Amino acid sequence: MAGGTDNKSEQPTPRRLQKAREKGQVARSKEVSSAAVLLGGLMVLLFFGQTILQTLENEMKRLLTLQVPLEITIPFLAAIVNGVGTRVALILVPILLAIMITSVFANMMQGGLVFSAESLGFHFEKLNPQKGVGRIFSKNGLVELLKSLVLLIAVGIISYQVVSQHLPLYPRLILMDVRRLLYWTASISYEVFIRVAVLLIILAIGDYFFQKYRFTEQLKMTKQEIKEELKETEGDPVTKGRIRRIQRAMARKRMMADVPKADVVITNPTHYSVALSYQMESMDAPKVVAKGVGFLALKIRELAQEHGIPLVENRPLAQTLYKSVEIGESIPSDLYKAVAEILAYIYKAKNALTR
């Protein structure tokens, strides 16, 4: 069927891409954000992990050595919570802020900064259970499910490999103090997360290009849609043609109205006609007030004869003026001499008649 989804073979136009962007639709991969957040978090822990651990340790010591009164009151507990919460927040809030900025930056790198009020609006169709189930079992939903399963299996394999490498260490963890126990637990966990981050980066790169391809496929257009868009942006070709014809007719009418004001009409003799006007007080050089070829040239000659405007036959000059000078423009300097001779001849002839 013409115009159906099966015939969407044309690449999306810039206007269609812009309209999709205005709706908040851009090619983005969630895996890129996930990889960026995980990698950013690991980098923060690498540089500030010791400081965080030291802060938590000091807070724990402070709590364990705290002098507890005989009667524990609400203000006393509130003061403890506020003090501990403030000191921990001073460490954790900048770290969480850095991770959030990393996530925003990762999204901006994919499609720039996009804000759409339409995507924030409430849509009743999103509450339709049937459509929700349809999205889950759609082609896109199955692809997302497959990606999640692959990622889950890969994380499980990576975790098993890292844990297996440290098997001889686990029996000795029972005999270690708390500090060394935390060190080895964090070290093993960090190794797992680093490998998972590398995997996520590889997956994110592939998924980004896949999402970009899928986004372009979804926005593809039929030939009819491109024609309709062209009508919207540039107007209906039939209407535009009619407007151009009207504009040409009006310009021709104005041009013909200026023919009686001309001083001379230079002809080819039959194919070209160029009407020139020269007012010594207001013009630096003669101007072309009308020109035409074929039927229009004939009408210019007829109108000139009706108003007693001289006709001068000069084949090369008529063709040069027609091709090189637009209506309302002054003649070029290299034609001054030829035109001046004609105008001088006409003025001389007029003076002779008036005597």
Side-chain angles (χ1 to χ4, degrees), residues 296-319:
L296 189 57
L298 179 62
K299 297 298 291 182
I300 291 174
R301 286 197 298 274
E302 290 177 355
L303 192 58
Q305 289 173 342
E306 290 177 9
H307 291 81
I309 297 171
L311 301 178
V312 176
E313 181 180 331
N314 189 321
R315 186 186 303 268
L317 181 59
Q319 292 184 4

PDB file of all heavy atoms in Angstrom, residues 296-319:
ATOM      1  N   LEU A 296       7.017  39.880 -26.300  1.00  0.00           N
ATOM      2  CA  LEU A 296       7.138  41.050 -25.432  1.00  0.00           C
ATOM      3  C   LEU A 296       7.910  42.169 -26.122  1.00  0.00           C
ATOM      4  O   LEU A 296       7.586  43.349 -25.962  1.00  0.00           O
ATOM      5  CB  LEU A 296       7.822  40.645 -24.122  1.00  0.00           C
ATOM      6  CG  LEU A 296       7.831  41.692 -23.003  1.00  0.00           C
ATOM      7  CD1 LEU A 296       6.412  42.131 -22.653  1.00  0.00           C
ATOM      8  CD2 LEU A 296       8.521  41.136 -21.761  1.00  0.00           C
ATOM      9  N   ALA A 297       8.916  41.814 -26.915  1.00  0.00           N
ATOM     10  CA  ALA A 297       9.668  42.821 -27.667  1.00  0.00           C
ATOM     11  C   ALA A 297       8.753  43.531 -28.663  1.00  0.00           C
ATOM     12  O   ALA A 297       8.832  44.761 -28.846  1.00  0.00           O
ATOM     13  CB  ALA A 297      10.837  42.163 -28.389  1.00  0.00           C
ATOM     14  N   LEU A 298       7.870  42.777 -29.291  1.00  0.00           N
ATOM     15  CA  LEU A 298       6.923  43.357 -30.231  1.00  0.00           C
ATOM     16  C   LEU A 298       5.975  44.329 -29.539  1.00  0.00           C
ATOM     17  O   LEU A 298       5.691  45.416 -30.047  1.00  0.00           O
ATOM     18  CB  LEU A 298       6.143  42.237 -30.919  1.00  0.00           C
ATOM     19  CG  LEU A 298       5.075  42.673 -31.934  1.00  0.00           C
ATOM     20  CD1 LEU A 298       5.717  43.446 -33.090  1.00  0.00           C
ATOM     21  CD2 LEU A 298       4.310  41.460 -32.456  1.00  0.00           C
ATOM     22  N   LYS A 299       5.485  43.955 -28.334  1.00  0.00           N
ATOM     23  CA  LYS A 299       4.574  44.827 -27.603  1.00  0.00           C
ATOM     24  C   LYS A 299       5.275  46.130 -27.187  1.00  0.00           C
ATOM     25  O   LYS A 299       4.650  47.201 -27.205  1.00  0.00           O
ATOM     26  CB  LYS A 299       4.045  44.107 -26.358  1.00  0.00           C
ATOM     27  CG  LYS A 299       3.223  42.866 -26.641  1.00  0.00           C
ATOM     28  CD  LYS A 299       1.975  43.185 -27.445  1.00  0.00           C
ATOM     29  CE  LYS A 299       0.971  43.979 -26.637  1.00  0.00           C
ATOM     30  NZ  LYS A 299      -0.275  44.266 -27.381  1.00  0.00           N
ATOM     31  N   ILE A 300       6.557  46.027 -26.816  1.00  0.00           N
ATOM     32  CA  ILE A 300       7.309  47.235 -26.442  1.00  0.00           C
ATOM     33  C   ILE A 300       7.427  48.162 -27.644  1.00  0.00           C
ATOM     34  O   ILE A 300       7.253  49.387 -27.527  1.00  0.00           O
ATOM     35  CB  ILE A 300       8.700  46.845 -25.892  1.00  0.00           C
ATOM     36  CG1 ILE A 300       8.561  46.138 -24.529  1.00  0.00           C
ATOM     37  CG2 ILE A 300       9.599  48.071 -25.755  1.00  0.00           C
ATOM     38  CD1 ILE A 300       9.863  45.588 -23.974  1.00  0.00           C
ATOM     39  N   ARG A 301       7.701  47.606 -28.813  1.00  0.00           N
ATOM     40  CA  ARG A 301       7.828  48.439 -30.010  1.00  0.00           C
ATOM     41  C   ARG A 301       6.493  49.101 -30.363  1.00  0.00           C
ATOM     42  O   ARG A 301       6.435  50.281 -30.726  1.00  0.00           O
ATOM     43  CB  ARG A 301       8.335  47.590 -31.182  1.00  0.00           C
ATOM     44  CG  ARG A 301       9.809  47.242 -31.081  1.00  0.00           C
ATOM     45  CD  ARG A 301      10.351  46.771 -32.426  1.00  0.00           C
ATOM     46  NE  ARG A 301       9.690  45.549 -32.885  1.00  0.00           N
ATOM     47  CZ  ARG A 301      10.071  44.329 -32.549  1.00  0.00           C
ATOM     48  NH1 ARG A 301      11.113  44.168 -31.730  1.00  0.00           N
ATOM     49  NH2 ARG A 301       9.438  43.282 -33.006  1.00  0.00           N
ATOM     50  N   GLU A 302       5.409  48.315 -30.249  1.00  0.00           N
ATOM     51  CA  GLU A 302       4.092  48.873 -30.570  1.00  0.00           C
ATOM     52  C   GLU A 302       3.733  50.015 -29.623  1.00  0.00           C
ATOM     53  O   GLU A 302       3.215  51.057 -30.040  1.00  0.00           O
ATOM     54  CB  GLU A 302       3.028  47.773 -30.479  1.00  0.00           C
ATOM     55  CG  GLU A 302       3.126  46.741 -31.591  1.00  0.00           C
ATOM     56  CD  GLU A 302       2.104  45.627 -31.429  1.00  0.00           C
ATOM     57  OE1 GLU A 302       1.395  45.629 -30.380  1.00  0.00           O
ATOM     58  OE2 GLU A 302       2.020  44.753 -32.321  1.00  0.00           O
ATOM     59  N   LEU A 303       4.020  49.814 -28.307  1.00  0.00           N
ATOM     60  CA  LEU A 303       3.713  50.843 -27.320  1.00  0.00           C
ATOM     61  C   LEU A 303       4.574  52.087 -27.548  1.00  0.00           C
ATOM     62  O   LEU A 303       4.101  53.222 -27.391  1.00  0.00           O
ATOM     63  CB  LEU A 303       3.921  50.281 -25.913  1.00  0.00           C
ATOM     64  CG  LEU A 303       3.387  51.101 -24.733  1.00  0.00           C
ATOM     65  CD1 LEU A 303       1.887  51.333 -24.885  1.00  0.00           C
ATOM     66  CD2 LEU A 303       3.687  50.406 -23.409  1.00  0.00           C
ATOM     67  N   ALA A 304       5.842  51.872 -27.914  1.00  0.00           N
ATOM     68  CA  ALA A 304       6.730  53.000 -28.196  1.00  0.00           C
ATOM     69  C   ALA A 304       6.225  53.798 -29.390  1.00  0.00           C
ATOM     70  O   ALA A 304       6.238  55.040 -29.390  1.00  0.00           O
ATOM     71  CB  ALA A 304       8.148  52.490 -28.434  1.00  0.00           C
ATOM     72  N   GLN A 305       5.761  53.108 -30.430  1.00  0.00           N
ATOM     73  CA  GLN A 305       5.244  53.796 -31.613  1.00  0.00           C
ATOM     74  C   GLN A 305       3.987  54.591 -31.289  1.00  0.00           C
ATOM     75  O   GLN A 305       3.781  55.697 -31.805  1.00  0.00           O
ATOM     76  CB  GLN A 305       4.968  52.782 -32.723  1.00  0.00           C
ATOM     77  CG  GLN A 305       6.244  52.202 -33.334  1.00  0.00           C
ATOM     78  CD  GLN A 305       5.940  51.078 -34.320  1.00  0.00           C
ATOM     79  OE1 GLN A 305       4.852  50.512 -34.309  1.00  0.00           O
ATOM     80  NE2 GLN A 305       6.914  50.776 -35.166  1.00  0.00           N
ATOM     81  N   GLU A 306       3.147  54.051 -30.407  1.00  0.00           N
ATOM     82  CA  GLU A 306       1.922  54.760 -30.024  1.00  0.00           C
ATOM     83  C   GLU A 306       2.240  56.083 -29.331  1.00  0.00           C
ATOM     84  O   GLU A 306       1.481  57.054 -29.462  1.00  0.00           O
ATOM     85  CB  GLU A 306       1.076  53.886 -29.092  1.00  0.00           C
ATOM     86  CG  GLU A 306       0.435  52.690 -29.771  1.00  0.00           C
ATOM     87  CD  GLU A 306      -0.325  51.819 -28.788  1.00  0.00           C
ATOM     88  OE1 GLU A 306      -0.486  52.259 -27.612  1.00  0.00           O
ATOM     89  OE2 GLU A 306      -0.755  50.719 -29.176  1.00  0.00           O
ATOM     90  N   HIS A 307       3.353  56.126 -28.567  1.00  0.00           N
ATOM     91  CA  HIS A 307       3.692  57.327 -27.812  1.00  0.00           C
ATOM     92  C   HIS A 307       4.812  58.131 -28.470  1.00  0.00           C
ATOM     93  O   HIS A 307       5.389  59.030 -27.847  1.00  0.00           O
ATOM     94  CB  HIS A 307       4.102  56.942 -26.387  1.00  0.00           C
ATOM     95  CG  HIS A 307       2.963  56.426 -25.556  1.00  0.00           C
ATOM     96  ND1 HIS A 307       2.517  55.119 -25.637  1.00  0.00           N
ATOM     97  CD2 HIS A 307       2.149  57.049 -24.647  1.00  0.00           C
ATOM     98  CE1 HIS A 307       1.521  54.940 -24.804  1.00  0.00           C
ATOM     99  NE2 HIS A 307       1.265  56.098 -24.185  1.00  0.00           N
ATOM    100  N   GLY A 308       5.129  57.798 -29.699  1.00  0.00           N
ATOM    101  CA  GLY A 308       6.100  58.576 -30.440  1.00  0.00           C
ATOM    102  C   GLY A 308       7.518  58.464 -29.947  1.00  0.00           C
ATOM    103  O   GLY A 308       8.307  59.410 -30.084  1.00  0.00           O
ATOM    104  N   ILE A 309       7.882  57.345 -29.381  1.00  0.00           N
ATOM    105  CA  ILE A 309       9.257  57.132 -28.898  1.00  0.00           C
ATOM    106  C   ILE A 309      10.081  56.556 -30.045  1.00  0.00           C
ATOM    107  O   ILE A 309       9.661  55.571 -30.680  1.00  0.00           O
ATOM    108  CB  ILE A 309       9.262  56.181 -27.688  1.00  0.00           C
ATOM    109  CG1 ILE A 309       8.476  56.829 -26.547  1.00  0.00           C
ATOM    110  CG2 ILE A 309      10.678  55.870 -27.235  1.00  0.00           C
ATOM    111  CD1 ILE A 309       8.216  55.918 -25.391  1.00  0.00           C
ATOM    112  N   PRO A 310      11.241  57.119 -30.325  1.00  0.00           N
ATOM    113  CA  PRO A 310      12.052  56.655 -31.460  1.00  0.00           C
ATOM    114  C   PRO A 310      12.491  55.206 -31.301  1.00  0.00           C
ATOM    115  O   PRO A 310      12.814  54.749 -30.207  1.00  0.00           O
ATOM    116  CB  PRO A 310      13.254  57.595 -31.438  1.00  0.00           C
ATOM    117  CG  PRO A 310      12.847  58.756 -30.617  1.00  0.00           C
ATOM    118  CD  PRO A 310      11.853  58.260 -29.629  1.00  0.00           C
ATOM    119  N   LEU A 311      12.515  54.468 -32.405  1.00  0.00           N
ATOM    120  CA  LEU A 311      13.043  53.106 -32.457  1.00  0.00           C
ATOM    121  C   LEU A 311      14.355  53.130 -33.222  1.00  0.00           C
ATOM    122  O   LEU A 311      14.400  53.638 -34.342  1.00  0.00           O
ATOM    123  CB  LEU A 311      12.059  52.170 -33.155  1.00  0.00           C
ATOM    124  CG  LEU A 311      10.654  52.036 -32.540  1.00  0.00           C
ATOM    125  CD1 LEU A 311       9.797  51.096 -33.383  1.00  0.00           C
ATOM    126  CD2 LEU A 311      10.743  51.526 -31.114  1.00  0.00           C
ATOM    127  N   VAL A 312      15.404  52.593 -32.629  1.00  0.00           N
ATOM    128  CA  VAL A 312      16.714  52.567 -33.267  1.00  0.00           C
ATOM    129  C   VAL A 312      17.146  51.122 -33.403  1.00  0.00           C
ATOM    130  O   VAL A 312      17.225  50.384 -32.405  1.00  0.00           O
ATOM    131  CB  VAL A 312      17.753  53.362 -32.459  1.00  0.00           C
ATOM    132  CG1 VAL A 312      19.129  53.227 -33.100  1.00  0.00           C
ATOM    133  CG2 VAL A 312      17.334  54.823 -32.369  1.00  0.00           C
ATOM    134  N   GLU A 313      17.434  50.704 -34.614  1.00  0.00           N
ATOM    135  CA  GLU A 313      17.866  49.318 -34.841  1.00  0.00           C
ATOM    136  C   GLU A 313      19.376  49.217 -34.670  1.00  0.00           C
ATOM    137  O   GLU A 313      20.134  49.871 -35.380  1.00  0.00           O
ATOM    138  CB  GLU A 313      17.465  48.868 -36.236  1.00  0.00           C
ATOM    139  CG  GLU A 313      17.857  47.420 -36.525  1.00  0.00           C
ATOM    140  CD  GLU A 313      17.454  46.989 -37.920  1.00  0.00           C
ATOM    141  OE1 GLU A 313      16.455  47.514 -38.452  1.00  0.00           O
ATOM    142  OE2 GLU A 313      18.162  46.117 -38.485  1.00  0.00           O
ATOM    143  N   ASN A 314      19.780  48.400 -33.702  1.00  0.00           N
ATOM    144  CA  ASN A 314      21.201  48.152 -33.453  1.00  0.00           C
ATOM    145  C   ASN A 314      21.300  46.753 -32.856  1.00  0.00           C
ATOM    146  O   ASN A 314      21.151  46.557 -31.648  1.00  0.00           O
ATOM    147  CB  ASN A 314      21.784  49.205 -32.498  1.00  0.00           C
ATOM    148  CG  ASN A 314      23.303  49.106 -32.399  1.00  0.00           C
ATOM    149  OD1 ASN A 314      23.877  48.018 -32.374  1.00  0.00           O
ATOM    150  ND2 ASN A 314      23.958  50.259 -32.339  1.00  0.00           N
ATOM    151  N   ARG A 315      21.509  45.778 -33.705  1.00  0.00           N
ATOM    152  CA  ARG A 315      21.471  44.371 -33.308  1.00  0.00           C
ATOM    153  C   ARG A 315      22.426  44.045 -32.147  1.00  0.00           C
ATOM    154  O   ARG A 315      21.988  43.524 -31.124  1.00  0.00           O
ATOM    155  CB  ARG A 315      21.759  43.490 -34.522  1.00  0.00           C
ATOM    156  CG  ARG A 315      21.596  41.988 -34.252  1.00  0.00           C
ATOM    157  CD  ARG A 315      22.058  41.196 -35.470  1.00  0.00           C
ATOM    158  NE  ARG A 315      21.304  41.603 -36.662  1.00  0.00           N
ATOM    159  CZ  ARG A 315      20.195  41.005 -37.059  1.00  0.00           C
ATOM    160  NH1 ARG A 315      19.706  39.989 -36.377  1.00  0.00           N
ATOM    161  NH2 ARG A 315      19.566  41.423 -38.148  1.00  0.00           N
ATOM    162  N   PRO A 316      23.749  44.311 -32.259  1.00  0.00           N
ATOM    163  CA  PRO A 316      24.643  43.922 -31.156  1.00  0.00           C
ATOM    164  C   PRO A 316      24.358  44.682 -29.861  1.00  0.00           C
ATOM    165  O   PRO A 316      24.446  44.103 -28.766  1.00  0.00           O
ATOM    166  CB  PRO A 316      26.041  44.239 -31.699  1.00  0.00           C
ATOM    167  CG  PRO A 316      25.820  45.202 -32.822  1.00  0.00           C
ATOM    168  CD  PRO A 316      24.487  44.883 -33.390  1.00  0.00           C
ATOM    169  N   LEU A 317      24.013  45.965 -29.962  1.00  0.00           N
ATOM    170  CA  LEU A 317      23.746  46.736 -28.743  1.00  0.00           C
ATOM    171  C   LEU A 317      22.479  46.257 -28.058  1.00  0.00           C
ATOM    172  O   LEU A 317      22.428  46.144 -26.810  1.00  0.00           O
ATOM    173  CB  LEU A 317      23.629  48.230 -29.093  1.00  0.00           C
ATOM    174  CG  LEU A 317      23.384  49.175 -27.913  1.00  0.00           C
ATOM    175  CD1 LEU A 317      24.511  49.064 -26.900  1.00  0.00           C
ATOM    176  CD2 LEU A 317      23.235  50.614 -28.409  1.00  0.00           C
ATOM    177  N   ALA A 318      21.434  45.951 -28.838  1.00  0.00           N
ATOM    178  CA  ALA A 318      20.178  45.460 -28.258  1.00  0.00           C
ATOM    179  C   ALA A 318      20.392  44.138 -27.516  1.00  0.00           C
ATOM    180  O   ALA A 318      19.904  43.940 -26.396  1.00  0.00           O
ATOM    181  CB  ALA A 318      19.126  45.294 -29.348  1.00  0.00           C
ATOM    182  N   GLN A 319      21.140  43.225 -28.123  1.00  0.00           N
ATOM    183  CA  GLN A 319      21.394  41.921 -27.486  1.00  0.00           C
ATOM    184  C   GLN A 319      22.241  42.082 -26.227  1.00  0.00           C
ATOM    185  O   GLN A 319      21.983  41.442 -25.201  1.00  0.00           O
ATOM    186  CB  GLN A 319      22.082  40.990 -28.482  1.00  0.00           C
ATOM    187  CG  GLN A 319      21.198  40.566 -29.645  1.00  0.00           C
ATOM    188  CD  GLN A 319      21.896  39.570 -30.554  1.00  0.00           C
ATOM    189  OE1 GLN A 319      23.012  39.138 -30.287  1.00  0.00           O
ATOM    190  NE2 GLN A 319      21.228  39.206 -31.648  1.00  0.00           N
TER     191      GLN A 319
END
